[in-house]
């Protein structure tokens, strides 16, 4: 084979391989954005559901896109105060719900009531004593929700699904639940 | 057998094309039609044209969320996340917008958007400042109809900012 033919063959091989890599990358992107992806969660705001140290969870993207993420779901959302930061919180109320919340549980018992506006959700961390959530930044537009956390894969000792209620119920939350239901 | 093979090949090619197309539209750039006249005369200037304007939007700005005054952006409607709206950024976080009651401060991570056609536009004057996370892309050019192809310029509305 002439030099040109050999060179053309190598170039064709290289292009084919790089197309394969590009298609694989696009497939991974589509799966991560539209189906299911993983996330690392950390911080004290979702104790005792998630511990302080890093935990690897699976989040599914279909509910957030279809509007099926509802009250009780743990979701990952872009923080309204910094679009490059992602936070994990639980949805406490959907649009139209009346939410009664304790503003500052460490210092006082005073509650406030708010009605969640159209197209927004109210999110709170399970650990209301140490969580920066809708009580601070207000109701969050539904468009900021990234996905619903449904399964924890690391640490393996806590492998399993994430439910729609916090793991244990704080007595202060029980009072609020009764106030919200009545 | 030959036909089945060809069909499988076409199927594979279209799946690959679809995946690549979705990735490019999500991450890099896309094309979008403009509906409504809230951005007249920049987009859809007259009610009698049959076709909507099509615009080219770029998504590289979503990497760092660095937007400037006067950018035309497409974002999810805060009152209904399934809809997209296109408006111009009038004020960024930390700026003050003048309204009848004095001045409103735009909070951190938010921006104030308004349509170029103030009379017919439902924008931040209705639903308040929007979080930057709702933005889905920045409009750079009008690409259809051919007689209106142009670059979309940044227009700074100095009269809406207080101080």
């Amino acid at each position: 084979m002439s030099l040109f033919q050999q060179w053309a063959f190598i170039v064709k091989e290289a292009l084919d391989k790089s197309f394969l890599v590009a298609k694989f990358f696009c497939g991974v992107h589509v799966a991560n954005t539209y189906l299911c992806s993983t996330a690392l969660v950390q911080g004290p705001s979702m104790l005792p559901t998630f511990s302080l140290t890093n935990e690897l969870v699976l989040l599914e993207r279909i509910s957030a896109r279809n509007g099926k993420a509802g009250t009780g779901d743990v979701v990952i959302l872009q923080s309204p105060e910094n679009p490059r930061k992602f936070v994990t919180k639980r949805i406490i109320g959907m649009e139209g719900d009346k939410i009664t919340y304790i503003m500052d549980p460490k210092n006082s018992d005073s509650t406030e009531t708010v009605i969640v506006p159209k197209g927004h959700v109210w999110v709170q961390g399970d650990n209301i004593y140490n969580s920066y959530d809708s009580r601070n930044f207000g109701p969050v537009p539904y468009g900021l929700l990234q996905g619903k956390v449904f399964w924890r894969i690391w640490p393996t000792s806590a492998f399993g699904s994430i439910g729609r209620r916090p793991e244990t119920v704080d007595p202060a939350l029980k009072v609020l639940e009764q106030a919200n239901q009545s | 057998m030959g036909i089945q093979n060809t069909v499988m090949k076409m199927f594979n090619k279209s799946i690959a094309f679809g995946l690549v197309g979705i990735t490019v539209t999500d991450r890099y750039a896309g094309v979008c039609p403009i509906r409504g006249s809230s951005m007249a005369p920049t987009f859809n200037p007259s009610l009698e044209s049959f076709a909507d304007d099509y615009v080219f939007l770029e998504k590289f700005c979503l990497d760092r969320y660095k937007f400037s005054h006067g950018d035309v952006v497409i974002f999810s409607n805060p009152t209904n996340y399934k809809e997209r709206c296109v408006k111009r950024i009038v004020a960024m976080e930390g700026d003050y917008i003048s309204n009848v009651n004095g001045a409103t401060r735009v909070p951190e991570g938010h921006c104030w958007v308004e349509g170029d056609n103030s009379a017919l536009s439902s924008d931040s004057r209705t639903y308040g400042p929007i979080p930057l996370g709702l933005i889905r892309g920045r409009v750079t050019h009008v690409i259809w109809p051919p007689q209106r192809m142009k670059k979309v310029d940044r227009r700074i509305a100095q009269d809406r900012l207080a101080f």
Side-chain angles (χ1 to χ4, degrees):
Chain A
M1 279 200 284
S2 74
L3 200 59
F4 175 73
Q5 275 176 325
Q6 278 176 327
W7 179 81
F9 181 69
I10 291 176
V11 168
K12 185 174 181 311
E13 278 272 324
L15 278 180
D16 277 345
K17 287 279 179 328
S18 42
F19 280 148
L20 202 61
V21 167
K23 281 189 284 195
F24 175 71
F25 170 71
C26 295
V28 167
H29 166 88
V30 169
N32 268 354
T33 315
Y34 294 93
L35 295 176
C36 176
S37 88
T38 55
L40 219 52
V41 298
Q42 54 151 355
S45 64
M46 285 295 288
L47 285 166
T49 313
F50 295 127
S51 66
L52 279 172
T53 50
N54 279 338
E55 299 209 350
L56 198 58
V57 296
L58 279 180
L59 63 145
E60 56 103 347
R61 306 268 191 173
I62 309 174
S63 331
R65 246 167 228 284
N66 286 348
K68 296 282 193 316
T71 311
D73 290 332
V74 176
V75 291
I76 293 197
L77 55 132
Q78 275 174 295
S79 163
E81 302 192 332
N82 181 356
R84 298 172 69 186
K85 185 166 106 162
F86 293 89
V87 295
T88 315
K89 300 278 177 264
R90 193 180 293 268
I91 295 183
I92 303 292
M94 305 292 292
E95 63 186 13
D97 289 349
K98 188 154 73 151
I99 309 285
T100 308
Y101 61 96
I102 305 181
M103 202 39 235
D104 190 8
K106 278 201 255 202
N107 296 332
S108 85
D109 266 339
S110 60
T111 61
E112 283 181 31
T113 308
V114 71
I115 297 193
V116 182
K118 184 170 185 304
H120 289 63
V121 294
W122 189 269
V123 294
Q124 279 181 205
D126 285 347
N127 180 12
I128 54 174
Y129 298 94
N130 199 352
S131 164
Y132 192 75
D133 46 36
S134 282
R135 296 169 299 156
N136 307 92
F137 47 66
V140 166
Y142 203 93
L144 288 182
L145 297 185
Q146 302 292 305
K148 178 171 111 168
V149 176
F150 69 103
W151 202 269
R152 179 191 354 239
I153 53 183
W154 187 270
T156 46
S157 55
F159 188 90
S161 61
I162 310 288
R164 304 192 81 173
R165 312 192 66 79
E167 305 281 295
T168 57
V169 182
D170 187 308
L173 282 181
K174 263 206 143 86
V175 171
L176 274 183
E177 263 181 57
Q178 282 167 2
N180 277 343
Q181 274 160 16
S182 57
Chain B
M1 280 318 277
I3 294 189
Q4 192 174 9
N5 231 350
T6 324
V7 168
M8 277 307 293
K9 266 191 157 157
M10 273 179 52
F11 184 67
N12 277 342
K13 276 222 156 30
S14 48
I15 296 258
F17 186 68
L19 287 181
V20 173
I22 292 180
T23 308
V24 169
T25 318
D26 278 352
R27 296 178 80 110
Y28 305 120
V31 172
C32 191
I34 304 284
R35 307 212 190 285
S37 40
S38 62
M39 283 294 287
T42 315
F43 305 134
N44 285 358
S46 64
L47 290 168
E48 306 99 43
S49 51
F50 341 100
D52 294 321
D53 283 0
Y54 278 75
V55 294
F56 180 78
L57 50 137
E58 60 101 354
K59 310 227 180 192
F60 293 100
C61 54
L62 299 181
D63 208 28
R64 311 219 154 241
Y65 285 97
K66 270 205 146 48
F67 294 99
S68 342
H69 296 81
D71 279 342
V72 177
V73 291
I74 291 196
F75 55 94
S76 281
N77 190 344
T79 46
N80 178 3
Y81 75 101
K82 294 192 183 168
E83 284 175 14
R84 304 271 184 95
C85 303
V86 58
K87 302 279 180 278
R88 195 181 290 271
I89 294 183
V90 167
M92 293 295 296
E93 53 195 357
D95 291 339
Y96 288 81
I97 283 278
S98 54
N99 56 24
V100 275
N101 305 331
T104 326
R105 184 176 182 275
V106 178
E108 294 300 310
H110 288 65
C111 61
W112 188 274
V113 290
E114 282 185 16
D116 286 350
N117 187 1
S118 311
L120 260 181
S121 158
S122 132
D123 47 34
S124 281
R125 293 169 299 165
T126 317
Y127 41 71
I130 62 162
L132 289 173
L134 286 180
I135 295 183
R136 302 282 175 251
R138 190 168 66 93
V139 174
T140 50
H141 294 79
V142 180
I143 57 174
W144 186 266
Q147 65 268 26
R148 290 180 35 77
M149 282 199 213
K150 64 175 194 272
K151 190 163 172 350
V152 172
D153 289 321
R154 307 220 305 257
R155 196 192 320 149
I156 309 209
Q158 206 51 44
D159 53 325
R160 294 288 296 133
L161 296 169
F163 320 131

